[in-house]
């Protein structure tokens, strides 16, 4: 016992958590793995799922494939509908959902447009926000929910409803809000002079006013929190969006609408001091 104390080694060394990362090979996977190991030196990345204590699956495809392994699995940037489906099949899983929380995106909108009152929310069958999430909102904004099935219905809603709103906010939805939808949404927004917020970076680059989004660093940080929970409690935390998303502002659009904040740094600072 005295020898152990003198050796400087901890009496009860922390057990290493063996993790296998499921994802398409490429820069994002390698960057994610490197950041994960740098964030927690007790994590050991295994080359196969058989050697791992748990799996981390990046994206919907990897999350679906993970169901074949009889291991606990954390889905990262995956759709809520897919997690619901896998849970019904009995998976031991949790997820960091694609996108950001509705309340967070609306809080950003209010900072940018303090006088906004009527805000439209468009969702599809595979959107990051559910109908219940929108209906449960209890903030000061008046929300109008539009459920659409496809691009043609999206076009009709934009033509008939957007003029009656102060702004539009969109969730992450790879099926509904792809490149064709982006052109339709943003051109209609420009023509009717109604700003769009969300759903992520590419829309802001294309012409939406601003968006919160889950960056690679945000996803790594949230993953580390989940892995720490699994190590200490042998179970994951509840599924959800990233708690501290990143923010991006289209300076030209923000200026054209005379918004309160015109750049990402100023908006980020304002969001950090919100209660």
């Amino acid at each position: 016992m005295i020898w152990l104390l003198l050796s400087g080694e901890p009496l009860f060394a922390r057990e290493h958590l063996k993790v296998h990362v499921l994802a398409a090979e490429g820069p994002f996977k390698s960057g994610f793995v490197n950041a994960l190991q740098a964030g927690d030196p007790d994590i050991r990345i295994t080359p196969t799922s058989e050697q791992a204590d748990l799996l981390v699956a990046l994206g919907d495809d990897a999350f679906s494939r993970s169901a074949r392994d009889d291991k606990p699995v954390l889905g990262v940037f995956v759709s809520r509908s897919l997690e619901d489906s896998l849970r019904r099949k009995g998976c031991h899983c949790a997820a960091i959902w694609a996108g950001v929380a509705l309340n967070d995106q609306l809080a950003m909108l209010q900072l940018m447009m303090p006088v906004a009152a009527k805000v439209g929310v468009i969702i599809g069958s595979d959107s990051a926000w559910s109908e219940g999430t929108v209906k449960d909102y209890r903030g000061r904004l008046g929300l109008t929910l539009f459920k659409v099935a496809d691009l043609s219905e999206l076009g009709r809603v934009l033509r008939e409803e957007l003029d009656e709103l102060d702004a539009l906010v969109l969730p992450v939805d790879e099926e509904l809000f792809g490149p064709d939808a982006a052109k339709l949404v943003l051109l209609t927004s420009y023509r009717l002079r109604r700003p769009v917020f969300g759903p992520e970076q590419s829309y802001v680059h294309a012409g939406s006013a601003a968006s919160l989004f889950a960056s690679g660093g945000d996803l790594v940080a949230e993953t580390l929190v989940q892995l720490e929970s699994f190590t200490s409690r042998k179970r994951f935390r509840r599924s959800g969006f990233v708690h501290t998303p990143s923010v991006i502002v289209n300076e030209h659009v923000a200026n054209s609408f005379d918004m309160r904040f015109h750049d990402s740094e100023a908006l980020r600072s304002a969001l950090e001091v919100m209660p």
Side-chain angles (χ1 to χ4, degrees), residues 64-223:
S64 296
R65 286 188 280 113
S66 72
R68 305 169 192 165
D69 294 279
D70 188 23
K71 294 282 178 74
V73 57
L74 175 67
V76 177
F77 205 77
V78 300
S79 63
R80 296 177 68 171
S81 58
L82 177 58
E83 188 205 3
D84 288 341
S85 174
L86 292 181
R87 280 189 179 279
R88 285 194 295 271
K89 295 176 182 177
C91 80
H92 179 186
C93 60
I96 301 167
W97 297 325
V100 299
L102 171 65
N103 283 0
D104 289 345
Q105 203 79 286
L106 291 175
M108 178 204 63
L109 186 155
Q110 286 182 258
L111 277 177
M112 297 283 284
M113 295 182 67
V115 298
K118 297 185 293 182
V119 175
V121 182
I122 299 178
I123 65 170
S125 59
D126 199 35
S127 293
W129 307 327
S130 66
E131 182 178 357
T133 299
V134 180
K135 291 181 176 179
D136 287 343
Y137 172 71
R138 293 294 178 266
R140 73 159 183 83
L141 294 171
L143 300 188
T144 302
L145 173 65
F146 303 101
K147 295 175 63 181
V148 303
D150 52 35
L151 198 61
S152 62
E153 193 173 355
L154 174 62
R156 180 190 60 77
V157 167
L158 292 169
R159 290 190 303 272
E160 296 177 2
E161 307 290 348
L162 187 54
D163 196 40
E164 300 299 317
L165 303 169
D166 295 320
L168 186 66
V169 64
L170 304 178
V172 164
D173 187 324
E174 293 185 1
E175 291 296 320
L176 182 60
F177 297 121
D180 290 338
K183 183 181 297 184
L184 173 64
V185 170
L186 296 172
L187 284 176
T188 309
S189 161
Y190 179 80
R191 180 170 57 84
L192 296 176
R193 294 290 299 163
R194 296 294 185 272
V196 175
F197 291 84
E200 35 78 24
Q201 285 172 289
S202 66
Y203 263 70
V204 178
H205 292 310
S208 79
S211 184
L212 296 178
F213 67 97
S215 70
D218 301 331
L219 293 170
V220 169
E222 202 74 25
T223 299

Side-chain angles (χ1 to χ4, degrees), residues 202-261:
S202 66
Y203 263 70
V204 178
H205 292 310
S208 79
S211 184
L212 296 178
F213 67 97
S215 70
D218 301 331
L219 293 170
V220 169
E222 202 74 25
T223 299
L224 288 169
V225 170
Q226 283 280 14
L227 297 185
E228 173 60 30
S229 174
F230 190 89
T231 300
S232 60
R233 303 188 297 166
K234 303 306 177 188
R235 59 188 176 90
F236 295 115
R237 292 161 60 100
R238 289 182 61 183
S239 299
F241 298 106
V242 295
H243 285 85
T244 53
S246 297
V247 63
I248 182 172
V249 175
N250 185 313
E251 185 173 343
H252 173 73
V253 174
N255 274 314
S256 70
F257 283 101
D258 196 26
M259 291 183 177
R260 187 178 175 189
F261 297 97

